[in-house]
Amino acid sequence: MSGPPLLAFDRVSFRYSGEVVVEEVSLSVQAGEFVGLIGPNGSGKSTLMRLGVGLLRPQSGSVRLFGQPLARFREWPRIGYVPQVAAARPGFPATVREVVSTGRVGRRGLFRRLSESDGHAVDLALESVGMMPFRSRLIGELSGGQHQRVMLARALAGEPELLLLDEPAAGVDAVAKLELLNLLRRLGQDTNLAVVYVSHDFETLRPYFNKIALLNRRLLFFGTREDLGEQQDVERQLIEAALASDHHEHRGA
Amino acid sequence: MSKAPSTFGLLEPFQYEFFRNGMLAAVLVGALCGLIGVYIVLRGMSYIGHGLSHAIFGGAVVAFVMTWNFYLGAGAWGFIAAVLINQTARRTKINADAAIGVVTTASFAIGIALVSRYRNFTRSFDAALFGNVLGVTPRDVLAIAAVLLMVGFIIFFGYRQLLFSTFDAEVAAVYGVRTQWVETLFALVLAAAIIASMQILGVTLIAAALVIPAITARLLTDSFNRMLLLSTLCGALTGFFGMYLSYYVDVASGASIVLLQASVFGAALSAVSLQKRVGSRLLRTLQ
């Protein structure tokens, strides 16, 4: 495999108020890979994503993007990111197309207006997530699932090489979820796009990933789908952790 | 004593230089506050206009006492206050509203302390608090026009960056928008706009002029573009007619402008509610 990994965590740890959320995690993502980051609620998946895009700084260990240390990395247009809870702004007066077009600003820089080719990229992104018919709708008028698709279109509009998706299918129905997965797989094959897809829905998504990272604060497993098949004990650990977290949540509720 | 305008008397106030200067300044200030107000309202920062104008009052008094240039002294003070608020909210557990409360009231208190210590500028103190159109000079008008031009330039060329950071500031940073720069620029622009508006509106009323045109425009349109245009237009027109009102009713210019803006907002709110009610009744009839 040529070139440095697009994203590399090296023994990364992070604590919130003294509580360890991510512990000594090391993994890397290469071009064209479709990596599933799987773990129960509270396992540190979203924190790891936020560490990966520089929204949080690790307390120990290091993160590298496209071979560069995070602190020195400036090529943000190479990255697309969809957060777990996308900003819900019910009264915000911007259309779907306007919001998606903001995904191009990193490529233009400050004080350079968007060109015709930017508009074309925006339309393509809208088409690819099936939101073209909604392009003139206000962003606040969309359902949760449609909103997530717009956020994905915004990420795709920037034509990234690495896409980090934090539970992108939350609130999306089963059919739309499969369409999204097929789209991402196709983009990976056609454009060599690398995708990190965060989810706790392991069984549905398993066939789509060519690499799987199982996380429960610590990395339990990182490797190919086939390798995982031989490690039943890791899966069992994860399922137990998921059940424990669900049990804990229900008791909390 | 109020004056009743005759048909030809509408041009009467323009024979006075103070009115011509004041009118020009009011229209420009109205447009400026209307334009910036859109970003303030959509960022959920309506309180910052109120707080920052009070902070800048402190800066203006310090500039006066230290015999610094008013625009530079008060401007630097306001900018520092805005950055302090931003950094306190970003780097500590304190929310932005609480940070505004601390930084701006402390700055305002410095101004009050200096005013009570040096009692020789009571008139300037009143003018800063409530606005004084009589004191507007051509130099002030030029300064306001320069700020309006600067803000227009920044919004025209940085439209999408500002839209992104207003809509979703955290994610905008991941997409290469230099949100720190945008925040700093915004603080600078806001400080400049408040200083430019102080003479006309006074510290106490600037916040209203920043918020009312923007929320009126929001009632009337769902488009970000049109909201910018409508809010600017609403600010400029209420500045124009507010100045007239101020002359004929003989009240402070800031008060008449803000009262007119509040009336326009009330009218827009009533019109929109009525339209909704008629629309839903029509829909029920058709069904």
Side-chain angles (χ1 to χ4, degrees):
Chain A
M1 201 157 287
S2 61
L6 308 196
L7 171 64
F9 295 96
D10 183 18
R11 302 185 69 181
V12 166
S13 296
F14 188 82
R15 293 174 195 81
Y16 276 120
S17 310
E19 190 188 344
V20 178
V21 184
V22 170
E23 191 179 1
E24 298 269 317
V25 170
S26 298
L27 64 87
S28 60
V29 181
Q30 298 286 349
E33 284 183 343
F34 195 165
V35 179
L37 180 58
I38 312 290
N41 292 333
S43 59
K45 307 183 295 292
S46 295
T47 303
L48 196 62
M49 285 297 93
R50 290 166 67 78
L51 286 161
V53 294
L55 290 174
L56 297 171
R57 298 282 156 150
Q59 278 128 4
S60 64
S62 65
V63 180
R64 293 178 86 86
L65 284 165
F66 295 87
Q68 296 174 50
L70 194 59
R72 287 218 303 272
F73 184 74
R74 293 288 175 271
E75 299 165 57
W76 294 108
R78 298 177 82 178
I79 294 176
Y81 170 61
V82 177
Q84 185 180 20
V85 184
R89 305 288 303 271
F92 200 87
T95 62
V96 164
R97 195 175 187 282
E98 272 183 311
V99 170
V100 174
S101 72
T102 59
R104 296 291 296 177
V105 297
R107 293 204 169 269
R108 287 288 149 245
L110 197 60
F111 299 141
R112 277 181 64 197
R113 292 174 70 80
L114 299 190
S115 65
E116 206 172 303
S117 66
D118 293 315
H120 185 62
V122 169
D123 288 341
L124 266 178
L126 280 166
E127 288 275 12
S128 66
V129 299
M131 287 302 286
M132 199 57 172
F134 297 86
R135 65 188 178 281
S136 302
R137 281 268 193 96
L138 282 180
I139 186 74
E141 289 176 355
L142 302 180
S143 69
Q146 287 169 332
H147 192 273
Q148 273 307 90
R149 279 152 77 186
V150 172
M151 296 301 107
L152 180 63
R154 181 176 70 183
L156 293 174
E159 298 172 294
E161 292 163 56
L162 169 66
L163 192 54
L164 303 171
L165 306 172
D166 195 351
E167 305 260 11
V172 174
D173 61 56
V175 176
K177 187 191 282 188
L178 292 179
E179 279 174 4
L180 170 66
L181 286 161
N182 286 323
L183 165 73
L184 293 171
R185 186 153 65 178
R186 201 174 62 241
L187 283 169
Q189 285 159 357
D190 296 350
T191 66
N192 221 20
L193 173 74
V195 180
V196 181
Y197 190 110
V198 171
S199 180
H200 56 260
D201 181 10
F202 187 33
E203 285 312 314
T204 317
L205 304 175
R206 189 175 183 161
Y208 289 87
F209 303 133
N210 47 31
K211 269 197 174 166
I212 292 163
L214 299 180
L215 187 75
N216 193 17
R217 301 189 184 198
R218 286 183 301 107
L219 196 62
L220 301 177
F221 172 82
F222 181 56
T224 62
R225 237 173 20 207
E226 295 73 26
D227 292 342
L228 180 65
E230 295 162 8
Q231 299 200 23
Q232 298 295 328
D233 58 323
V234 176
E235 258 192 281
R236 198 194 65 242
Q237 272 186 56
L238 194 73
I239 290 163
E240 280 171 3
L243 286 173
S245 106
D246 282 350
H247 179 65
H248 185 70
E249 268 180 22
H250 285 126
R251 279 174 61 128
Chain B
M1 188 77 174
S2 57
K3 313 160 192 74
S6 69
T7 317
F8 300 106
L10 284 173
L11 291 175
E12 182 203 307
F14 283 98
Q15 64 185 298
Y16 305 111
E17 195 192 353
F18 84 87
F19 188 84
R20 290 198 300 273
N21 288 339
M23 176 61 93
L24 213 49
V27 171
L28 294 173
V29 158
L32 177 62
C33 289
L35 191 56
I36 296 178
V38 171
Y39 290 96
I40 288 179
V41 166
L42 293 179
R43 282 164 178 247
M45 293 167 65
S46 299
Y47 189 46
I48 199 164
H50 185 74
L52 210 53
S53 56
H54 283 69
I56 285 171
F57 171 80
V61 176
V62 171
F64 183 86
V65 171
M66 304 296 284
T67 62
W68 293 338
N69 175 287
F70 166 77
Y71 288 112
L72 289 180
W77 193 278
F79 175 62
I80 291 167
V83 171
L84 260 178
I85 291 165
N86 206 312
Q87 292 303 311
T88 309
R90 195 183 276 263
R91 291 172 191 272
T92 68
K93 290 175 185 171
I94 298 166
N95 285 336
D97 57 344
I100 291 169
V102 174
V103 174
T104 62
T105 46
S107 178
F108 188 64
I110 292 174
I112 298 287
L114 288 173
V115 166
S116 58
R117 181 81 177 79
Y118 303 91
R119 293 181 182 279
N120 57 343
F121 51 94
T122 315
R123 187 174 286 180
S124 317
F125 176 66
D126 284 351
L129 280 182
F130 308 115
N132 179 13
V133 74
L134 292 171
V136 177
T137 63
R139 191 166 145 256
D140 294 327
V141 175
L142 273 179
I144 299 165
V147 174
L148 181 58
L149 267 177
M150 177 184 83
V151 172
F153 177 86
I154 289 170
I155 288 176
F156 184 76
F157 286 103
Y159 174 80
R160 260 168 237 284
Q161 282 87 346
L162 284 165
L163 175 67
F164 201 167
S165 63
T166 303
F167 178 70
D168 197 350
E170 190 176 69
V171 176
V174 180
Y175 282 74
V177 177
R178 297 201 169 181
T179 43
Q180 287 274 28
W181 274 98
V182 171
E183 296 297 331
T184 309
L185 195 64
F186 189 73
L188 191 64
V189 160
L190 187 58
I194 289 172
I195 290 163
S197 312
M198 250 169 108
Q199 189 78 35
I200 289 289
L201 296 164
V203 164
T204 47
L205 296 174
I206 289 173
L210 282 168
V211 172
I212 300 175
I215 57 172
T216 306
R218 182 65 194 95
L219 281 177
L220 299 175
T221 182
D222 282 334
S223 151
F224 191 75
N225 264 332
R226 278 200 292 274
M227 191 177 164
L228 283 170
L229 280 175
L230 272 178
S231 180
T232 308
L233 203 64
C234 174
L237 286 176
T238 48
F240 182 84
F241 290 109
M243 272 299 289
Y244 255 124
L245 203 64
S246 155
Y247 179 81
Y248 286 111
V249 186
D250 201 11
V251 294
S253 54
S256 63
I257 291 169
V258 168
L259 283 173
L260 191 61
Q261 288 178 344
S263 310
V264 172
F265 171 73
L269 190 63
S270 308
V272 169
S273 309
L274 191 70
Q275 192 187 25
K276 264 188 193 161
R277 217 173 297 163
V278 170
S280 56
R281 200 170 294 171
L282 201 66
L283 203 66
R284 274 203 301 274
T285 316
L286 288 173
Q287 282 169 348

